Amino acid sequence: MLVFAASDKGGTGRSVTSCNIAYRLSLAGNDVAYLDFDFGSPTAGAIFEISKIDCGADVGLHSYIGGTISSPYQVDVRATSDRSGLRMLHAKAGRLALFAGDRGGAEFPSSAEKVRRCIELFRRLDQEFKVCVVDLSAGRSHALHMALNATAAPEIRSIPVRWLVFHRWTRQHIVAAHSLVYGNDGLLDEGTRAGHGREALQDAIRFVRTAVPVLNSPLSADRPAQAKWLRTCNDELKQLALRNRLGHSATLGETPVEPVLQWREQVISDADVSGNLANAATVEAFDELARNLTDDGVWEGL
């Protein structure tokens, strides 16, 4: 399965959430590949706390797609992470491999040859891993363009492909997520031009809400008037999401506001919860997203 993580704006929590989903999938026994296609900012290594590639590798995915190297550089997250909690190997855990971008890399234009190399990469990794998570640059980027063209190729059609569009629970982010998918030259327009069936592509897209306040939590509001105002805002956001076709029927799930992630973008381990650093609800949300993503019945039922 190929899973593409997209967002219209930066700061949506796309990368840190998709890293956590990949980690939870691996804990459940799946072999998972994480591809850092955020070409302008290849920093997935920092989220997995691998200091030697925290801003990318010397020769990574940029070099592979550009044809400089014949095989992309990868690291085993559990073997190379600086963080002891991530190096702990659960008995049933699967592999978790990171394919980093180039250090100092930047966005680069798509081309037929680059798309061909993406197709080769996706086909190869689909045979080796249960799930491949591809973190794309924000907006209508060259990375998004290449991914849409590659997944429209006949060689990819037998592989399940899913698209996750991340947005924060704010008016600006809801409108931006709608624009990325449904707007002019958005994901559906661009995908149709690349050769996707429009309806089939739309069926492969789900939204993920991030940093959603828990309204009955003391952290959300400490005064009755403020709590009432937040509930009103939440109701208005639900209506806005419905009008913009981002309602629950199109939403894979959501993550709550998490102080650990507000202060430090990282993978949250079970030890972080048992040590009372992170909230159990956050890990539960990541687990639910991982299950919903890979369960065909849940996905198709949305």
Side-chain angles (χ1 to χ4, degrees), residues 28-298:
N30 303 288
D31 289 339
V32 181
Y34 191 93
L35 284 67
D36 194 347
F37 266 51
D38 188 351
F39 293 130
S41 181
T43 55
I47 298 174
F48 288 117
E49 299 183 54
I50 305 172
S51 57
K52 67 178 183 179
I53 54 169
D54 58 0
C55 292
D58 289 335
V59 283
L61 286 171
H62 291 72
S63 297
Y64 170 78
I65 294 171
T68 305
I69 56 176
S70 59
S71 183
Y73 174 79
Q74 65 171 295
V75 296
D76 184 305
V77 170
R78 291 191 176 86
T80 56
S81 177
D82 303 328
R83 187 172 159 204
S84 59
L86 297 190
R87 293 198 302 271
M88 295 174 61
L89 184 62
H90 296 255
K92 67 174 184 178
R95 294 167 56 204
L96 179 55
L98 169 61
F99 292 76
D102 284 23
R103 181 179 293 109
E107 283 282 338
F108 51 85
S110 179
S111 69
E113 177 60 22
K114 291 183 176 74
V115 170
R116 184 189 67 80
R117 292 183 71 81
C118 285
I119 293 169
E120 293 175 353
L121 178 63
F122 296 155
R123 290 184 63 197
R124 175 189 137 190
L125 294 185
D126 179 68
Q127 294 173 355
E128 186 177 351
F129 295 90
K130 177 76 171 180
V131 182
C132 300
V133 180
V134 186
D135 182 20
L136 302 170
S137 307
R140 294 161 172 77
S141 63
H142 293 300
L144 178 65
H145 176 84
M146 281 192 288
L148 285 168
N149 279 271
T151 52
E155 302 96 312
I156 301 293
R157 287 178 185 165
S158 62
I159 302 173
V161 176
R162 290 175 178 172
W163 297 81
L164 299 182
V165 176
F166 292 79
H167 66 89
R168 292 178 68 88
W169 195 228
T170 71
R171 294 178 61 183
Q172 296 93 329
H173 281 266
I174 289 171
V175 172
H178 168 89
S179 177
L180 178 65
V181 174
Y182 303 108
N184 293 336
D185 300 321
L187 204 156
L188 290 175
D189 279 358
E190 185 73 11
T192 301
R193 285 194 287 268
H196 289 275
R198 191 178 185 92
E199 289 187 6
L201 180 57
Q202 184 169 338
D203 287 343
I205 300 170
R206 299 291 184 272
F207 297 91
V208 177
R209 301 172 180 175
T210 62
V212 178
V214 180
L215 296 183
N216 60 356
S217 168
L219 295 177
S220 297
D222 58 4
R223 295 182 298 278
Q226 188 179 56
K228 181 180 178 180
W229 179 80
L230 287 175
R231 286 193 295 271
T232 300
C233 288
N234 190 57
D235 291 341
E236 291 174 350
L237 290 174
K238 287 180 179 179
Q239 292 302 313
L240 182 65
L242 282 172
R243 292 196 299 272
N244 282 274
R245 290 181 277 178
L246 275 67
H248 265 297
S249 62
T251 297
L252 188 70
E254 61 185 37
T255 63
V257 173
E258 169 56 59
V260 168
L261 297 182
Q262 287 183 308
W263 285 97
R264 193 169 186 267
E265 293 185 329
Q266 66 172 59
V267 171
I268 295 180
S269 68
D270 293 338
D272 293 326
V273 175
S274 61
N276 293 316
L277 300 178
N279 295 317
T282 305
V283 167
E284 291 167 4
F286 291 145
D287 276 331
E288 182 177 9
L289 284 168
R291 287 192 301 268
N292 292 350
L293 176 63
T294 53
D295 187 319
D296 291 340
V298 173

